[in-house]
Amino acid sequence: MQKLHSISLNRQVNAHEQASRHDIHFKGPATDFFEGALLGNGGLGVVVTTRPDAVMLHFGHNNVWDIRIAEEHADEIMTFQEVFARFAALPASLPQMTDNPWYQEYCEMTGDNYRKTYPRPMPCGSVLLRFDRREAEVLGHTLHIANGRCTVDFLIGGKPALFEIFVEADQDRLWMRMTDVVSGEELPLFSEVKLIPDPETPQEFPAAIVGSDAGTGVQSFTQILPYLEAPVSPYMAHAQDKAFRLAVRVSATGGSDPKNKQVNMQGCSACVELWEGSAAAVLETEAEIAPPELSGYSLARTHSEELWRSYWSCSAVALEDEFLERTWYRNLYFFNCAVKADVTCPGLFANWSYRNIGSDWHGDYHMNYNTQQPFWLAFSSNHLDKHLPYVDMVEHVLPVSRKWARDYYGLRGAYFPHSAYPVEMTMMPYPVPHWGWEVCETPWTVQSLWWHYLYSMNEVFLRERAFQPIKEAVLFMVDYMKRPEASGERWEDDRYHIFPTVVPELYEIAPGFAKNSDCLIDLTLTKFIFHAFIQACTILGTEDAESALLGEVDDILQRFPLYPTAESSHGRVFTSVLGEDPEVVYNVPIPVTTVFPGEEHGLHSSPEDYQIAVNSYLNHRNEGGNELVFYNMAGARLGILDLERFKRQIAYCLLPNGTCTDRALMSGGRYPDTADFDFMSRMGVWFENFSLPAVINECLLQSYNGSLRFFPNWPADKLAEFHTLRAAGGFLVSAALEAGEVQWVEIVSEAGSRLSFYIPWAEGAICTGSSGQPLLLIGKVGVMPTAAGETIYIVRNTSQ
């Protein structure tokens, strides 16, 4: 049994020090991509693998994509109304819609573009560092998450040596150096350095431009990424072509091999740099730029460590449960490596790729949870800047989403896509109805823009970046729910309905639309975004300008559909659609979405609503692959998450590199009994699962309903402390728990919002703010005004 590390309460936790306790160790050579150490700076990503004869470094970058795109059949797709009319004319007795020849052909046609392998993240090549295994042996490696360094342990001539590698935090450079462990002196080891373009580079691309200069120790290759879907041969430049250049400088050389364009290296340090952008710019500077002189190693190392310390200073936890603390710090490390402001929003597998790893489903943006989930971490962990690439992505897809709403649906606003790429698009990449009609994705795409405001209280952000996309989603949902087909006599009620729609990854389009109306997740997210729009108009003072739309929203909310429920072995539960068997096996945990991300139900709910939500959570059956964060977030919000089971599930999904993959959990749904439960494990590094710390944060602090709740899902017998977790209202919150009792709370009010919190002591709370006058609050909930920049200290009332 692993011994728990001790923590002391009522002190400022040093997050950098806490992170240093959770290094990732690997014994022996790590030859496989998923055994290697992950390095990155939010743009550049590097996987460090080791072999008995070499160190192999694989490079990727969030900005580097095969930018070709197929956009055929635009004139054959028809409009939504035309397709809907065809569906309505088909017999409801069909076993499934695809039994109809027309629909089967239509699906083939509308899915044709997506079957192309591009767009996709483009691997940026590898660096091979070869050594003589008669003289040297790899013992293993350690990833130091506190400062973003990987060290590889060697024996050279029987003596210990250390190979240090790190990615510069604000430059797309990787530095490395070999030293003797005892003396600290640099050691020569590598006999050969070779740059290798990715083996899966499309053959139709122009050949890489290779350069080598033995005198300077620099070698490089430049790869052009054509804009045209079918590049001409011989290659002819296009103004929108992209390119990247990978170059390495080594400290000393022993000549070069002209045939293989490789440098024979006898030095002990090196720097690799990646340039990316327009092909014209990269090619123009090719002869002028090279990795910096290796004398800059120490300065780059010091600067990068400072930036890592700054990152860790944003929030911290100290938990007696070492496994959960380790999960928190390691995934925050990966998150920082994978995303940053002013860099392309990561897709499914972020910035680590090699061959076809990272290219499944184009490695693109999936708007039915995959793209949103990683950024759940950014808010409570106090890393709001990490959400900005997602905001950029929303702005990127907004024009094509508006166009689709107008031209396909004939409606106002924007209909956000099921799948999207970070390249120029003029149409939806995957307009197949049984995916493209998932209505929930429109409010879901813009939801976190409202969260960004709530957690920051930044009205400038709300006005300039959040309001318009939210309004566009609201416009579409209003028009969609007010279509003639979505209300009236056929419904036998006076409500507006969401019809037709598709339950994410479950029923597709059912004959007779039997399971295609008022999906639970559509309803809860639509209600969420309607209320967000109403509040945003009040905050920004735009009620008069938006009065017509606000009136339509209010009308729909007054006549909103009821949520579908059914009786189960656990009692009454929510179901994805009315009439559904509550024993169905889901792929996305729809029955708990009113808890999260809908944020309607939780510990604040009425006893009746709370019980239905709890029953839904306990009754839920999920085939896995996407519930590791999603489903457990709901459990934490309800205060019933079994942390020991949660830990076992994390362990089940762990890969040797410390990340969690998507693994299947059960057959009986879409998966047959003979399914490979690991079929998603080698697709890539699943960016979405880096949000695991968000689940832990919700166990320590909840604020989504406007009142802070301390340690709502933490065991009474386990010590816990957290510092500057971010809460809705623009609060930075710190607190400690010991022996089942909150010891103290400290809250920094960034925006001067009204503070509301659930008082954790029966005797009441003593609150002391900037005035220095203690305020006694008693009862269930305490409320007090705050001033911007004020710090409030809260302790138990001991005067009784």
Side-chain angles (χ1 to χ4, degrees):
M1 179 179 292
Q2 191 172 30
K3 182 179 179 181
L4 292 175
H5 64 290
S6 61
I7 65 173
S8 60
L9 298 177
N10 203 19
R11 63 175 176 82
Q12 180 63 49
V13 174
N14 185 318
H16 184 266
E17 180 182 318
Q18 292 292 114
S20 68
R21 301 181 180 186
H22 302 297
D23 294 342
I24 300 172
H25 304 281
F26 191 92
K27 292 184 178 180
T31 60
D32 185 75
F33 184 90
F34 297 98
E35 295 174 336
L38 301 184
L39 301 176
N41 62 11
L44 180 68
V46 182
V47 181
V48 180
T49 61
T50 54
R51 310 185 330 201
D53 69 332
V55 174
M56 188 84 153
L57 310 172
H58 304 298
F59 290 78
H61 199 287
N62 281 325
N63 286 347
V64 178
W65 277 64
D66 177 347
I67 59 174
R68 296 173 297 163
I69 187 170
E71 294 192 320
E72 301 173 3
H73 311 296
D75 296 334
E76 304 170 59
I77 291 175
M78 303 189 294
T79 67
F80 167 79
Q81 201 62 39
E82 290 171 331
V83 178
F84 177 79
R86 291 234 189 172
F87 283 164
L90 295 176
S93 58
L94 280 174
Q96 55 187 13
M97 286 293 240
T98 49
D99 288 338
N100 176 269
W102 167 79
Y103 183 52
Q104 188 173 25
E105 292 174 7
Y106 184 80
C107 289
E108 286 292 316
M109 180 270 294
T110 51
D112 186 46
N113 291 330
Y114 201 75
R115 281 189 288 275
K116 302 290 176 64
T117 59
Y118 46 83
R120 56 160 287 192
M122 185 65 204
C124 297
S126 304
V127 173
L128 176 73
L129 307 165
R130 194 186 308 277
F131 55 85
D132 188 339
R133 60 182 300 264
R134 294 170 297 183
E135 301 296 329
E137 180 183 359
V138 171
L139 302 180
H141 72 259
T142 298
L143 177 60
H144 306 267
I145 68 169
N147 48 30
R149 292 186 300 119
C150 174
T151 54
V152 183
D153 292 306
F154 275 90
L155 283 180
I156 301 178
K159 297 180 180 179
L162 197 70
F163 187 45
E164 181 180 75
I165 313 162
F166 68 92
V167 168
E168 199 165 339
D170 56 359
Q171 298 288 335
D172 290 335
R173 298 178 186 138
L174 177 139
W175 299 80
M176 44 194 160
R177 180 170 62 183
M178 178 73 76
T179 58
D180 179 86
V181 168
V182 177
S183 67
E185 295 179 354
E186 294 188 358
L187 289 177
L189 171 63
F190 299 106
S191 58
E192 175 189 337
V193 176
K194 181 188 292 186
L195 281 180
I196 305 174
D198 191 79
E200 303 299 329
T201 300
Q203 293 184 356
E204 61 271 28
F205 277 16
I209 304 168
V210 180
S212 179
D213 187 338
T216 63
V218 175
Q219 60 175 305
S220 67
F221 78 87
T222 302
Q223 178 63 61
I224 295 171
L225 306 172
Y227 170 77
L228 296 176
E229 185 182 359
V232 296
S233 181
Y235 165 72
M236 293 181 62
H238 188 282
Q240 292 178 265
D241 289 346
K242 301 284 188 179
F244 68 87
R245 178 174 183 252
L246 190 70
V248 58
R249 180 191 296 273
V250 297
S251 59
T253 62
S256 63
D257 183 339
K259 181 179 180 181
N260 294 319
K261 299 290 185 179
Q262 66 196 36
V263 175
N264 298 322
M265 175 183 177
Q266 296 176 350
C268 44
S269 59
C271 180
V272 184
E273 187 161 6
L274 179 76
W275 295 266
E276 46 78 21
S278 72
V282 172
L283 292 172
E284 182 181 358
T285 59
E286 183 181 12
E288 304 170 12
I289 55 177
E293 296 294 334
L294 300 177
S295 58
Y297 185 97
S298 296
L299 183 62
R301 187 182 189 276
T302 299
H303 180 57
S304 293
E305 177 145 352
E306 289 172 353
L307 292 179
W308 273 104
R309 285 183 180 274
S310 177
Y311 175 74
W312 290 120
S313 71
C314 292
S315 58
V317 300
L319 309 175
E320 186 176 351
D321 191 312
E322 189 170 8
F323 184 93
L324 290 178
E325 182 180 293
R326 180 164 66 245
T327 298
W328 196 90
Y329 282 100
R330 286 183 177 179
N331 282 279
L332 273 165
Y333 165 80
F334 296 132
F335 188 61
N336 194 36
C337 290
V339 60
K340 71 177 176 181
D342 300 321
V343 172
T344 300
C345 181
L348 291 170
F349 307 109
N351 48 351
W352 298 286
S353 57
Y354 175 59
R355 292 184 175 267
N356 288 319
I357 296 172
S359 65
D360 283 274
W361 297 297
H362 298 267
D364 65 11
Y365 306 131
H366 277 41
M367 303 302 191
N368 60 348
Y369 97 88
N370 305 84
T371 308
Q372 294 92 331
Q373 180 170 293
F375 298 96
W376 299 345
L377 172 62
F379 304 104
S380 58
S381 293
N382 194 23
H383 292 287
L384 286 177
D385 60 303
K386 296 289 184 180
H387 180 242
L388 294 177
Y390 181 91
V391 181
D392 295 338
M393 183 276 300
V394 173
E395 294 172 346
H396 168 71
V397 302
L398 185 57
V400 74
S401 301
R402 284 189 182 123
K403 182 175 184 289
W404 193 252
R406 181 188 68 241
D407 298 345
Y408 182 70
Y409 284 99
L411 303 177
R412 297 177 296 171
Y415 183 88
F416 288 91
H418 170 71
S419 292
Y421 310 123
V423 303
E424 181 182 329
M425 298 178 292
T426 64
M427 60 180 286
M428 290 298 185
Y430 196 61
V432 181
H434 55 252
W435 295 97
W437 286 12
E438 287 185 12
V439 176
C440 66
E441 292 170 330
T442 287
W444 208 346
T445 298
V446 300
Q447 179 187 43
S448 65
L449 276 61
W450 177 246
W451 280 340
H452 193 114
Y453 166 72
L454 280 184
Y455 281 79
S456 68
M457 305 303 289
N458 185 336
E459 288 190 23
V460 174
F461 174 86
L462 177 61
R463 186 182 304 275
E464 296 182 357
R465 305 204 66 182
F467 184 77
Q468 194 60 41
I470 289 173
K471 178 183 174 180
E472 300 282 355
V474 169
L475 279 166
F476 180 85
M477 293 309 304
V478 164
D479 282 7
Y480 195 72
M481 294 182 74
K482 287 200 165 188
R483 289 167 34 256
E485 298 89 347
S487 62
E489 292 183 4
R490 70 182 296 270
W491 294 93
E492 299 181 350
D493 60 31
D494 66 345
R495 303 177 186 276
Y496 296 105
H497 296 271
I498 298 180
F499 169 77
T501 187
V502 176
V503 178
E505 308 200 31
L506 194 54
Y507 299 121
E508 302 181 358
I509 304 293
F513 300 113
K515 291 184 172 66
N516 297 113
S517 62
D518 295 336
C519 175
L520 183 70
I521 191 169
D522 299 331
L523 296 175
T524 189
L525 288 174
T526 298
K527 190 181 290 186
F528 179 100
I529 212 64
F530 280 179
H531 286 300
F533 177 70
I534 293 169
Q535 293 177 66
C537 288
T538 301
I539 293 162
L540 297 177
T542 58
E543 297 100 323
D544 290 343
E546 304 294 347
S547 60
L549 182 54
L550 286 168
E552 292 180 286
V553 168
D554 182 67
D555 182 33
I556 292 176
L557 289 173
Q558 294 298 322
R559 299 163 58 186
F560 207 74
L562 300 176
Y563 287 178
T565 61
E567 288 295 332
S568 75
S569 58
H570 287 87
R572 181 152 290 275
V573 298
F574 292 116
T575 57
S576 68
V577 291
L578 190 64
E580 180 178 77
D581 181 352
E583 291 299 304
V584 70
V585 178
Y586 291 89
N587 180 268
V588 178
I590 307 297
V592 300
T593 53
T594 66
V595 179
F596 189 85
E599 297 194 331
E600 282 189 76
H601 300 136
L603 291 167
H604 65 286
S605 297
S606 68
E608 180 182 2
D609 287 343
Y610 178 75
Q611 194 58 56
I612 295 175
V614 168
N615 294 346
S616 303
Y617 177 82
L618 297 175
N619 186 69
H620 179 69
R621 304 206 305 167
N622 194 292
E623 63 192 9
N626 59 20
E627 77 153 33
L628 181 62
V629 175
F630 199 154
Y631 176 67
N632 292 307
M633 278 288 286
R637 283 283 176 92
L638 291 167
I640 59 171
L641 176 60
D642 183 337
L643 289 176
E644 294 304 315
R645 185 169 187 172
F646 177 48
K647 288 156 57 177
R648 290 192 293 271
Q649 189 176 0
I650 293 172
Y652 169 70
C653 296
L654 275 174
L655 294 176
N657 62 13
T659 70
C660 281
T661 189
D662 280 5
R663 293 188 73 189
L665 292 169
M666 65 181 296
S667 60
R670 297 183 308 173
Y671 301 153
D673 288 338
T674 55
D676 176 6
F677 274 35
D678 273 341
F679 80 96
M680 289 178 282
S681 293
R682 300 198 63 80
M683 291 180 176
V685 178
W686 286 90
F687 177 50
E688 65 195 45
N689 290 328
F690 297 166
S691 60
L692 274 167
V695 180
I696 299 170
N697 292 346
E698 294 298 321
C699 294
L700 302 172
L701 174 71
Q702 293 181 13
S703 66
Y704 66 95
N705 73 322
S707 293
L708 308 185
R709 192 186 297 269
F710 311 110
F711 303 101
N713 198 125
W714 193 258
D717 61 340
K718 297 286 187 182
L719 279 71
E721 183 175 348
F722 62 85
H723 285 264
T724 57
L725 293 185
R726 182 169 287 274
F731 298 109
L732 297 179
V733 186
S734 306
L737 180 78
E738 182 178 20
E741 183 174 284
V742 177
Q743 300 296 304
W744 52 267
V745 178
E746 179 182 298
I747 300 172
V748 177
S749 176
E750 288 188 330
S753 305
R754 188 194 70 154
L755 174 63
S756 174
F757 64 96
Y758 292 92
I759 298 174
W761 305 284
E763 303 89 340
I766 299 293
C767 308
T768 307
S770 57
S771 69
Q773 296 298 317
L775 173 66
L776 172 62
L777 297 175
I778 58 175
K780 182 179 179 181
V781 178
V783 179
M784 61 180 293
T786 70
E790 181 180 19
T791 300
I792 300 98
Y793 301 94
I794 305 174
V795 295
R796 182 169 62 89
N797 175 29
T798 58
S799 63
Q800 295 181 349

